[in-house]
């Protein structure tokens, strides 16, 4: 278990990484690399979700574990809306497909609307931290 000072530093670092990944998604969108945009958007959410979990004393060891604990600890309790969990899940699926599925190609119309949704997610979760 991390000491309070160490935990605070890691939480701060993950929050910064979340916003950096969002900026990267926007930059890559200008290059029309839609699968990479989905990847960066997913990681943006992942970093913020794990910052929230860690801030609440919850450590994770995997991406699916983080998603499960996020839902269990914050969605089921009503602290976070189901639509936020659905966003997290959808981007996880897109990232997985983009990384591992043959012949999978994300289109501009499929991913661009998520950029603003991810920004709203980050701001909402940051308020909870």
């Amino acid at each position: 278990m991390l000491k309070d000072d160490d935990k605070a530093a890691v939480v701060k670092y993950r929050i910064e990484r979340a916003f950096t990944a969002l900026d990267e998604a926007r930059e890559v969108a200008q290059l029309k690399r839609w699968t990479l945009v989905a990847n960066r958007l997913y990681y943006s959410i992942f970093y913020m979700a794990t910052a929230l979990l860690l801030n609440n004393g919850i450590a994770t060891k995997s991406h699916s574990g983080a998603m499960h604990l996020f839902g269990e600890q914050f969605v089921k309790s009503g602290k976070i809306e189901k639509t936020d969990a659905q966003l997290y899940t959808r981007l996880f699926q897109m990232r997985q497909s983009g990384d591992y599925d043959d012949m999978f190609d994300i289109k501009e119309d499929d991913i661009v609307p998520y950029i603003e949704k991810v920004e709203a997610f980050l701001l909402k979760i940051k308020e909870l931290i």
Side-chain angles (χ1 to χ4, degrees), residues 20 41 76 97:
T20 297
L41 290 177
K76 283 186 180 179
S97 293

Side-chain angles (χ1 to χ4, degrees), residues 27-93:
E27 291 169 10
V28 173
Q30 298 206 3
L31 299 173
K32 300 188 183 303
R33 302 287 191 240
W34 307 121
T35 302
L36 187 53
V37 171
N39 176 287
R40 300 321 303 150
L41 290 177
Y42 164 73
Y43 273 100
S44 182
I45 282 184
F46 172 76
Y47 294 137
M48 188 62 78
T50 59
L52 176 65
L53 289 166
L54 183 58
N55 192 60
N56 285 273
I58 304 166
T60 62
K61 295 186 184 221
S62 68
H63 288 260
S64 58
M67 196 173 349
H68 172 75
L69 289 167
F70 179 81
E72 186 177 275
Q73 298 294 317
F74 297 100
V75 178
K76 283 186 180 179
S77 68
K79 294 176 185 170
I80 294 175
E81 296 173 25
K82 286 182 183 178
T83 55
D84 292 320
Q86 291 166 343
L87 175 65
Y88 188 176
T89 300
R90 181 65 185 126
L91 287 169
F92 175 77
Q93 293 166 341

Side-chain angles (χ1 to χ4, degrees), residues 6-21:
D6 294 336
K7 181 173 83 169
V10 173
V11 168
K12 181 177 185 267
Y13 175 74
R14 288 183 185 175
I15 292 169
E16 290 170 0
R17 290 210 50 199
F19 284 101
T20 297

